Amino acid sequence: MKKTISIVLSAALALSLLSGCGGETPAGAANGSRPTGEDSPQGEDQSTVQGTAAELGSLASFSAGTLDGGTFTQDDVAAKDVTVVNFWALSCGPCIAELPDLAELEQALPDSVQLITVCLDAIGNEEIAGDTLAEAGFAGVTLISGDGDLASLAGNLMYTPTTIFADSEGNLVGDPIIGGQRDLSGTYLEAINQVLTAGGKDEISLEA
């Protein structure tokens, strides 16, 4: 059954999930949303289950708070050819299971491509989120609050984990990737190269 993710912007501009996916939820955390452990929702095509990238929105104008107390905006997106954004939750088992693969990919990417995450239930659970990411080896940027296009985009999501791909102007390219992937690096590399070629740039390789 589909679980709709809604974003509530509090005074702190916190992102939170309003519907559950099952499993134990950390104290104070909102529930996550993930229907199955397969590569995509069962019986549904991922390009139509929650809309194409263009239908989800963009990352052209926003400001977000990071887990380490910093700020991340559209200027940081503009500084890279591609920004990969993975939306996840502490209460989502498949999200946490794929974090080591995300960490490995993030470290292998060239400087022109960045991979960041958005933890949708980290507000009030910052220490748990930090420990979870550290255990997975993820050293990249993680957003925990946000406004503008980021909040609108997150409000249009229906599942976690969901990953989207943005060009330097904040336009989303290709279909969102929903659910854990058996070959995460290969699947994401294909999507990254789709963004690059659409912008007239050379494809990349993860080979050393």
Side-chain angles (χ1 to χ4, degrees):
M1 182 176 67
K2 295 181 181 179
K3 307 287 187 177
T4 300
I5 295 176
S6 299
I7 296 303
V8 176
L9 294 180
S10 66
L13 300 177
L15 293 171
S16 65
L17 290 170
L18 298 184
S19 57
C21 71
E24 184 175 353
T25 302
N31 292 330
S33 176
R34 175 64 165 84
T36 76
E38 300 298 324
D39 284 353
S40 61
Q42 290 183 337
E44 298 180 85
D45 183 88
Q46 67 174 350
S47 64
T48 59
V49 69
Q50 61 180 358
T52 64
E55 291 170 338
L56 286 177
S58 74
L59 288 174
S61 178
F62 71 96
S63 180
T66 66
L67 184 60
D68 63 3
T71 302
F72 191 93
T73 73
Q74 68 274 355
D75 292 337
D76 296 288
V77 173
K80 303 294 183 179
D81 291 336
V82 183
T83 297
V84 182
V85 187
N86 173 263
F87 292 86
W88 66 288
L90 290 167
S91 53
C92 168
C95 298
I96 294 173
E98 74 173 6
L99 284 177
D101 289 338
L102 287 171
E104 182 177 355
L105 175 61
E106 191 272 334
Q107 293 170 9
L109 291 171
D111 290 341
S112 60
V113 180
Q114 64 184 337
L115 190 160
I116 69 172
T117 79
V118 180
C119 185
L120 294 164
D121 53 0
I123 295 295
N125 298 284
E126 291 88 351
E127 184 174 353
I128 297 174
D131 289 346
T132 301
L133 290 162
E135 184 175 352
F138 185 81
V141 173
T142 291
L143 311 183
I144 63 173
S145 66
D147 62 12
D149 287 343
L150 178 65
S152 297
L153 192 159
N156 288 331
L157 302 182
M158 300 178 69
Y159 298 93
T160 55
T162 290
T163 301
I164 54 93
F165 302 81
D167 64 18
S168 61
E169 295 181 353
N171 301 310
L172 304 191
V173 180
D175 293 323
I177 293 177
I178 304 168
Q181 303 298 305
R182 293 184 180 91
D183 178 17
L184 185 145
S185 291
T187 302
Y188 282 35
L189 178 61
E190 182 178 354
I192 289 167
N193 282 330
Q194 182 180 357
V195 181
L196 290 171
T197 55
K201 300 183 181 297
D202 293 335
E203 294 186 355
I204 64 168
S205 170
L206 298 179
E207 297 178 1

